[in-house]
Each structure stands twice: as structure tokens, then as C-alpha cells.
Amino acid sequence: MTIKLGVIADDFTGATDIASLMVQNGWQVALLLSIPDDSTFIPHDVDAIIISLKSRSCPVDESIEQSLKACRWLRQKANCSRLFFKYCSTFDSTIKGNIGPVTDVLMDELQIDLCLICPALPINGRTVVYGYLFVNGQLLNESDMQYHPINPMKDSNLLRLMEQQSRGTAGLVDINCVRQGELSIRDRLCQLRCKGIRYAVVDTLLMDDLLLVAQAAHDMTLITGGSGLGGAIARYCSGGNSEKTSIKKLPLPRNRRMVILSGSCSVMTYRQVLEYKKIASTMELDIDKCINNPDYIHLLVDWIIQQPMKGLAPMLYTTRPPGVLKLTHNQYESFQVSKIIEQLFAQIANELRQKDFNTFIITGGETSGKVVQSLGINQVGIGAIIAHGVPWVYDLQSDCWLALKSGNFGEVDFFHYAQEIFHELGSNNE
């Protein structure tokens, strides 16, 4: 099988997001959770190879270095002729990037002069109209993303956002152009290219709009955007012949010890945590102890171990409403609170893994990245879909299973429902 697309994702939840949409639209994918090297096994029986980085919020130079390494491996080792730079559907990164700088360096590496900017994911409420990004009908900067603890979004105009963090100018492919189809989009891209425009921001209101964009971009060497466009590319290339992942071929999820670690502070995750607290054992982390008490981790691990093995999984969480979150960061402004919490969750997961815990539900892109790195997981397969963009995944080298959830994904009963899906997966294999 010829590898049709190489994907560079800027965080772990984003990587599983685009992987699940590609699988749902008929593609087979391989998901690598670390930067590959000469010794990395190259799967050739897949349509796409996805490399998950932890580059969304790291320093710009690190993000560029990681992305270039991934790009060169995909091109030189895996022989991928087309690349996709995947970032979040809310376009969040650091104030100075990292979306713009990484896009620039990939364009230079591939020697191209125009690139699509298409973060929209309408199925999850992310739409783009005349270059403005909306989240569930609200402008990005008026949505909950304005309170993001790491990357607060203060503007919703994608053309401005892109120009502020890159070295070129942006132009618009508006919704009227998109709705006229492939030839109209390609003609507009040609016009932008002739004007010296470097980035083409694409309007999208419906998932079907993304299919039109995928058709128009079928011969482009580099595309950037969200998982929605990735799924549309898979759908276009497979001719709409979608197939669900074959559960029967997956490892049997038996003898599970499960835990939930919630580091996301999105409004939806907060609602999901409140809902789960009604039915299961939960504990909120004490931020002061996280910072000042080196023995706190052992208390948390002991608490988890003491919870009953049967029934719903115990949860540790730092998820808080935006107002409380802002006060917390102001109170501990001299500390990098987010990084301290991510590291603590990673250490907890590592200790639990050594005590036979083998199933983890993690929320938050940065938290997920730290936990996966701590567990030493390098390659995963895609299992049953829990919610749009959130599948169960399993380590190809062990019996470890993971659900990595981006902040605002899933319904209010996500944590309970994820476990129901997992248990159904086990019963279907018996």
C-alpha cells in the first residue's frame, strides 16, 4: 500500500483526533507518539502515518526543530509525497506561534509558495466565516478560549493571527468561493499566489465544505489545518467508502486497572468532571501541595490504589472554572503552575503503571503529552471511537490502553461513556 499522507500533529490529543477521523473515513493509519529515527519501524500497510509531537506550547525553536525532524523522516524514510501539519481547531499556540513559524519552515523545506490554513471542525462547532474563527457560534476571542491557561486567544481573525506569527501575508478563500466547488477554489488559490499571498485562509461552515476543499487540494504538497480537513482528505481518497475499525482484530482489554487524570481546564471538561463526581470517586489536586509538598504524589497514588477495582475508575483532576483558574494562576504567578501539574500527572501515571494500572483516560493536550512520554509509549493502534475526535488507542508493545481527550470534546457524560465503550469492546472480543 502506498502511503498517501504524512501528518505532523502538534500535540497528542490532536494526533488521536485526526487519526480517528481518518479511520472513520476509510483509511488505515499508523500513529507514532515520538519523533521517529533510523531505527523506527516504517509501516507500509497504511494510508497515513501520523507523528505526534509535543510542540504546541514549547519554545518556537524547539517546535521548529521537532517539526523539521518529523518532516524529513516522513519524506526521506517513509517516502511520503504529501504532508499535513495538524494543529488545533481553535488555532491556539503560543503568542509568537508556533503555528506560523512551523508552517513557514515546512514551506521552505518543501519549496512551496502557498499553503492552506484550514482549522475548521464544524462537527465540533469550529467554523470559519470570512476569515473569522467561531466556536459554537461565538467568536474565538469571546469564547471560553479567551481564558485558556497557556494560550489565551484574544483575536478571532485568522488572517491577522497568521500574519502576526509568520513572515508572509494571508488571503481569504471565502465561503461563496468554497461552495462553488473545486475549480472555483483552485482558481482563487491561483489568484492569491499571483498576488504573492503566502497563506490561504479557507472558510468552512459544514463538514461537506471540507470535502470540497480536500478535492481542490488533492495535489498540494503541504496542507495545514485541523482534523476535519484530514478526515475529508481520507474520505475523498477512499471514495467515501468508510469502514469502522475492526474490533475483533484488537487486543483483548481484560484485567484492567483504570484511572482518570484530568488536566484540561476547558468549560466542557469542567462540566464533565462535575457530572462524573456525582457517580464516582474523585479527588481535586491541591495546587499548594503540588508546588510545595514533595511527598504529595505518594498520597495521591495511595488514594487511587485504595479505590475499589470494580466499578467506575477513580479520578484525579485539576479542572476548574475559568474564574477560579485565573485566580489560581494569579496567586502562583511566580510558578509555572501548568507545567508543574503536567509533570505531577506524568509521575503519577508512571508509578501507577508500575503497580499494574494499564488503562488511562487523560484530558488536555499538554497533560496527555507528558503522560504518554512518561509511560514510554511510542506507537499506538486506533480502537473504538468514544466521541468525535476521541478514540480508544492501544500501545502496540504492551497491554496499555489510553483515551486522550482534547478539552472541549465529548458530551457531558464523557467519562462514564468512555468506560461503557471500553467494556463493550471487551465483551465483543469474548
Side-chain angles (χ1 to χ4, degrees):
M1 183 183 293
T2 301
I3 298 172
K4 299 178 180 68
L5 192 66
V7 180
I8 302 168
D10 68 357
D11 76 350
F12 287 67
T13 56
T16 57
D17 176 11
I18 194 170
S20 67
L21 282 178
M22 286 180 167
V23 168
Q24 286 177 292
N25 283 283
W27 268 12
Q28 298 295 319
V29 305
L31 178 51
L32 313 183
L33 298 182
S34 61
I35 300 175
D37 54 30
D38 291 342
S39 64
T40 302
F41 171 73
I42 303 173
H44 287 289
D45 58 345
V46 296
D47 298 286
I49 296 178
I50 301 169
I51 298 175
S52 175
L53 306 178
K54 194 177 185 297
S55 60
R56 179 182 299 181
S57 301
C58 67
V60 173
D61 289 346
E62 288 182 28
S63 184
I64 289 174
E65 180 184 7
Q66 290 181 35
S67 301
L68 265 181
K69 285 182 179 179
C71 171
R72 288 168 180 168
W73 185 90
L74 287 167
R75 296 275 288 181
Q76 298 166 14
K77 298 297 182 181
N79 294 318
C80 295
S81 59
R82 299 181 68 206
L83 295 185
F84 190 110
F85 171 36
K86 194 276 175 194
Y87 41 77
C88 185
S89 56
T90 49
F91 208 73
D92 57 292
S93 57
T94 64
I95 296 175
K96 297 181 179 179
N98 294 333
I99 295 172
V102 170
T103 299
D104 279 335
V105 78
L106 292 178
M107 291 178 71
D108 291 346
E109 178 76 8
L110 301 173
Q111 297 182 338
I112 62 173
D113 56 3
L114 179 70
C115 186
L116 293 186
I117 307 296
C118 188
L121 183 59
I123 200 170
N124 273 1
R126 276 70 161 180
T127 55
V128 180
V129 185
Y130 297 117
Y132 285 85
L133 180 54
F134 288 80
V135 177
N136 295 321
Q138 288 184 300
L139 286 166
L140 177 68
N141 60 295
E142 296 177 3
S143 74
D144 301 327
M145 287 302 299
Q146 65 181 303
Y147 304 114
H148 194 288
I150 301 176
N151 307 317
M153 300 305 291
K154 303 301 183 183
D155 194 358
S156 61
N157 186 293
L158 290 174
L159 286 81
R160 280 198 298 264
L161 287 170
M162 194 64 194
E163 289 180 350
Q164 288 168 1
Q165 56 182 261
S166 62
R167 58 172 187 263
T169 54
L172 178 65
V173 182
D174 69 34
I175 190 63
N176 297 314
C177 175
V178 171
R179 292 285 169 82
Q180 292 177 53
E182 176 183 349
L183 294 180
S184 173
I185 297 171
R186 292 173 72 89
D187 183 58
R188 177 57 177 163
L189 293 177
C190 184
Q191 292 174 18
L192 295 176
R193 184 179 284 108
C194 290
K195 293 179 180 179
I197 299 297
R198 191 169 167 86
Y199 321 106
V201 174
V202 185
D203 279 358
T204 309
L205 275 171
L206 302 172
M207 292 298 285
D208 284 345
D209 295 333
L210 289 171
L211 185 58
L212 297 174
V213 178
Q215 292 170 344
H218 71 268
D219 59 351
M220 296 186 76
T221 304
L222 174 66
I223 300 170
T224 84
S227 60
L229 183 55
I233 291 171
R235 180 181 170 190
Y236 172 69
C237 292
S238 64
N241 183 24
S242 301
E243 296 178 1
K244 293 183 179 180
T245 304
S246 177
I247 300 300
K248 294 180 180 178
K249 296 180 181 179
L250 301 180
L252 303 181
R254 295 175 177 170
N255 301 320
R256 299 284 104 188
R257 295 206 71 181
M258 186 184 297
V259 66
I260 302 171
L261 304 175
S262 183
S264 166
C265 286
S266 74
V267 170
M268 176 52 80
T269 302
Y270 180 64
R271 290 176 58 198
Q272 292 163 343
V273 168
L274 290 181
E275 189 70 15
Y276 194 68
K277 288 176 66 175
K278 300 175 184 176
I279 57 174
S281 299
T282 64
M283 177 182 287
E284 181 178 5
L285 269 62
D286 184 311
I287 303 302
D288 187 70
K289 291 180 180 178
C290 289
I291 295 172
N292 298 310
N293 185 355
D295 293 324
Y296 189 45
I297 181 176
H298 304 300
L299 297 174
L300 297 172
V301 170
D302 288 343
W303 178 81
I304 293 170
I305 293 173
Q306 291 167 10
Q307 304 311 305
M309 286 186 61
K310 293 184 178 181
L312 294 172
M315 168 192 283
L316 294 177
Y317 69 95
T318 57
T319 306
R320 297 178 171 192
V324 176
L325 181 65
K326 185 175 181 180
L327 290 173
T328 301
H329 280 265
N330 289 340
Q331 181 180 355
Y332 299 101
E333 60 183 351
S334 61
F335 297 94
Q336 292 181 303
V337 176
S338 297
K339 292 188 181 299
I340 290 172
I341 291 171
E342 291 163 20
Q343 187 59 44
L344 184 67
F345 273 138
Q347 292 173 326
I348 290 170
N350 189 268
E351 287 205 18
L352 291 173
R353 187 72 183 100
Q354 296 176 39
K355 299 180 184 298
D356 298 325
F357 278 76
N358 48 20
T359 310
F360 299 84
I361 299 175
I362 316 294
T363 77
E366 299 301 314
T367 304
S368 295
K370 276 290 187 183
V371 168
V372 169
Q373 289 175 339
S374 173
L375 295 173
I377 298 174
N378 296 313
Q379 237 183 99
V380 297
I382 306 299
I385 307 301
I386 306 166
H388 294 299
V390 191
W392 276 106
V393 300
Y394 58 97
D395 182 9
L396 296 176
Q397 303 298 320
S398 74
D399 66 341
C400 194
W401 283 70
L402 304 159
L404 309 176
K405 188 188 89 70
S406 183
N408 285 304
F409 285 17
E411 300 299 327
V412 70
D413 63 344
F414 174 84
F415 295 115
H416 187 198
Y417 184 66
Q419 294 173 65
E420 287 185 343
I421 291 292
F422 191 82
H423 295 314
E424 286 178 12
L425 177 60
S427 62
N428 288 340
N429 278 291
E430 292 177 352

